[in-house]
Amino acid sequence: MKVLVVGSGGREHALCWAIAKSANCEKLYAAPGNAGIAGIADCVPIGAEDLGGLVDFAKSEGIDFVVVGPEMPLVAGLVDRLEGAGIKAFGPSAAAAVIEGSKAFMKDFCGKYDIPTADYARFDEPDAAKEYIHRHHAPLVVKADGLAAGKGVILCHNDLEAFAAIDHILTERAFGEAGDEVVIEEFLVGEEASFFALVDGTTALPLMSAQDHKAAYDGDTGPNTGGMGAYLPAPMVDAKMSKIVMDRIISPTIDGMAAEGRPFKGVLYAGLMMTDDGPKLLEYNARFGDPECQPLMTMLKSDALEALLACAEGRLAEIKLAWHKGSALIVVMATEGYPGYYEKGSEIRGLGEAAGDNDDVVVFHAGTRLADGRIVADGGRVLGVTARAATPAKAQEKAYAAVDRIDWPQGFYRRDIGWRAIAPD
Ligand code: AMP
């Protein structure tokens, strides 16, 4: 079949890499893709936000199946438009993607279906929000309701920070319409994990769980980023915990979304806080995590295209997934300056030397571009060096050995990815 992957990040490179291996994939396209994806798929210059352009391309090219990577086109209704044109797609409808697109929806939904999450209140008016802070006091978490490119969550350690967060979102309108409303949450304490499940509307199939590193620098310091690394499995999500998460969080969500007339199809990504009272839902995402998708795809032994297609066709109950044993870990290499200002266009060498021969080390591209046959940096997060091994420590060693072979003076990365999973000697 002809498959189109929408997006241009490391996540989409990993999806293309996994889909390209399927015997059922005759032709693979990516829109818009990147320099790494160009090695395994035909990249077409259509942006992930150009819904009309993507639907027109899929129709004219006779695409059989579209896999949507990022959240923006999902929330904007790309899957609805593709299905309306008779094209199968992996990902939720706009009505279901609201579980990521609106934190207020997600919190009210959790209340209605008894899904464990932080206590909260919603406000669209600054004085009422501040009055609430006067009564409840920090630490609190203030969140913009809508999609704010990962920046809409403000952890407030004292009341003044919480007042400032309210002003920032509701008065200064820092996130535009995404900040029409705020959610103020109880501050939860614990270790975090990312739980992924494929969902076909009624059946959910858990994938491996991951932990990520959001902070820019070693020791989890510095500004928050899209993610500087991740590893899986998450040590604390063992089989017993996975069942608890499925029973208390994922299954009631699938049933609740169906009952709301918003059946969820695609990948449901639950950001969890493992508290003393058990796992609590921090947020839902309606797509794979980036960078977690990259190690996930390298650990998956089964045919990824078949699993994603079964999801879209409501046949997930037929699927049993096989996984490689051990651990996988990804080190993200970013352009110096990220997540602040950075220059584009620096050349990256040594990528051939870094890659392994048997899929145990894969360098996924994110912000890269081909310029006169050279690979140059074209974004903040640029490469994801992913290694698979018997233990987290071995995966870490392999990943950093590959990173060391990459010649890119303008890049930086963290040296401590995976520290939580690696017991000290
Ligand atoms: P979110 O996008 O809602 O997952 O929030 C981003 C990050 O903020 C999470 O990964 C947590 O580290 C932190 N966070 C969000 N909500 C809370 C909360 N209620 N308590 C403590 N930390 C939180």
Side-chain angles (χ1 to χ4, degrees):
M1 60 170 24
K2 285 185 173 180
V3 183
L4 167 66
V5 172
V6 175
S8 61
R11 166 182 51 209
E12 288 77 24
H13 190 184
L15 289 169
C16 284
W17 177 86
I19 290 168
K21 290 194 216 187
S22 170
N24 202 5
C25 179
E26 286 156 35
K27 179 95 188 144
L28 183 60
Y29 297 89
N34 60 37
I37 295 175
I40 49 176
D42 278 6
C43 292
V44 289
I46 307 172
E49 277 79 35
D50 180 2
L51 306 198
L54 290 166
V55 175
D56 287 347
F57 173 77
K59 279 204 289 203
S60 67
E61 208 56 39
I63 301 289
D64 301 292
F65 186 44
V66 179
V67 176
V68 185
E71 61 274 22
M72 282 295 187
L74 293 170
V75 170
L78 178 56
V79 168
D80 308 69
R81 289 179 61 170
L82 288 164
E83 288 180 350
I87 300 161
K88 281 182 199 147
F90 175 81
S93 63
V98 71
I99 204 157
E100 168 164 7
S102 166
K103 294 197 186 285
F105 171 88
M106 183 285 248
K107 296 300 285 189
D108 288 353
F109 176 84
C110 287
K112 184 166 174 188
Y113 293 96
D114 210 14
I115 295 163
T117 187
D119 289 341
Y120 74 105
R122 297 169 50 175
F123 299 95
D124 56 11
E125 207 277 308
D127 288 342
K130 289 181 182 175
E131 175 56 30
Y132 179 88
I133 294 164
H134 269 305
R135 277 185 284 119
H136 288 81
H137 295 296
L140 291 166
V141 183
V142 176
K143 300 183 176 182
D145 172 51
L147 292 180
K151 300 196 178 84
V153 174
I154 306 175
L155 305 181
C156 305
H157 300 280
N158 57 54
D159 289 2
L160 285 180
E161 283 177 5
F163 295 141
I166 297 296
D167 287 337
H168 191 56
I169 299 173
L170 286 181
T171 312
E172 292 155 22
R173 316 278 308 153
F175 306 111
E177 274 177 24
D180 280 350
E181 211 179 302
V182 293
V183 172
I184 305 182
E185 285 185 18
E186 164 200 11
F187 199 109
L188 297 177
V189 179
E191 214 173 294
E192 287 180 48
S194 305
F195 191 98
F196 300 94
L198 290 180
V199 182
D200 69 359
T202 51
T203 300
L205 197 59
L207 307 176
M208 286 178 92
S209 296
Q211 285 189 296
D212 68 347
H213 295 269
K214 286 252 186 304
Y217 311 130
D218 285 8
D220 292 326
T221 58
N224 258 1
T225 69
M228 293 301 288
Y231 51 93
L232 46 95
M236 64 211 163
V237 187
D238 56 10
K240 196 172 153 209
M241 181 53 79
S242 178
K243 182 162 183 339
I244 292 174
V245 173
M246 287 299 287
D247 290 348
R248 293 189 198 165
I249 298 180
I250 305 294
S251 297
T253 300
I254 307 310
D255 296 346
M257 290 297 277
E260 295 289 313
R262 303 168 184 269
F264 190 95
K265 283 186 181 189
V267 64
L268 189 59
Y269 159 4
L272 302 176
M273 186 73 92
M274 302 309 199
T275 73
D276 290 345
D277 297 333
K280 292 199 178 180
L281 183 68
L282 288 175
E283 65 162 345
Y284 263 135
N285 294 307
R287 36 79 197 175
F288 283 107
D290 186 340
E292 296 94 326
C293 182
Q294 293 85 309
L296 204 52
M297 288 302 130
T298 67
M299 289 298 271
L300 184 65
K301 255 189 186 172
S302 304
D303 185 319
L305 177 56
E306 176 52 23
L308 301 181
L309 199 56
C311 215
E313 292 175 346
R315 296 185 288 104
L316 216 45
E318 296 169 10
I319 299 286
K320 204 168 171 337
L321 296 177
W323 299 93
H324 288 282
K325 288 204 166 44
S327 291
L329 183 141
I330 177 167
V331 178
V332 170
M333 299 180 77
T335 308
E336 203 66 71
Y338 173 79
Y341 174 79
Y342 54 83
E343 301 268 351
K344 292 184 178 178
S346 51
E347 185 174 357
I348 304 163
R349 297 193 191 86
L351 289 170
E353 291 82 346
D357 339 304
N358 51 359
D359 287 356
D360 60 342
V361 177
V362 189
V363 181
F364 292 113
H365 291 227
T368 63
R369 176 170 62 82
L370 275 170
D372 306 326
R374 298 169 308 132
I375 290 180
V376 299
D378 196 38
R381 293 191 297 166
V382 172
L383 299 169
V385 181
T386 310
R388 192 176 69 208
T391 64
K394 288 199 175 118
Q396 189 193 51
E397 198 182 305
K398 259 192 197 175
Y400 282 112
V403 165
D404 288 340
R405 282 185 220 113
I406 294 174
D407 177 11
W408 181 34
Q410 294 82 359
F412 81 99
Y413 56 90
R414 282 181 57 162
R415 263 279 159 201
D416 63 347
I417 300 301
W419 64 266
R420 273 198 199 83
I422 298 168
D425 293 333

